Amino acid sequence: MNAPLLPLAVREATAARMLDMPAAEFRQLVAEGALPPPCRVGGHERWRVNDIEAILDGSAALPYEDFEL
């Protein structure tokens, strides 16, 4: 039996759900630099799952010190 395929990158709505926040709030945090920008695959914007996981486990780079979440 094959193991389920886990995504390497996800759409904006999925990335926001992974962080349990509305897509509009996710977009705002990306625009402010608090969350990583998407990568482009062809004409598609996708967020790397490992970047989102790094935010949650604390291994992601921290935003500028004067930025407030």
Side-chain angles (χ1 to χ4, degrees), residues 6 26 37 66:
L6 300 176
F26 180 84
D66 61 347

Side-chain angles (χ1 to χ4, degrees), residues 63-69:
Y64 295 113
E65 289 180 23
D66 61 347
F67 186 85
E68 291 184 33
L69 290 177

Side-chain angles (χ1 to χ4, degrees), residues 41-65:
V41 179
H44 306 281
E45 287 187 340
R46 297 292 184 267
W47 277 262
R48 291 177 181 93
V49 171
N50 63 344
D51 287 348
I52 296 168
E53 290 171 339
I55 292 165
L56 296 176
D57 71 16
S59 64
L62 297 175
Y64 295 113
E65 289 180 23

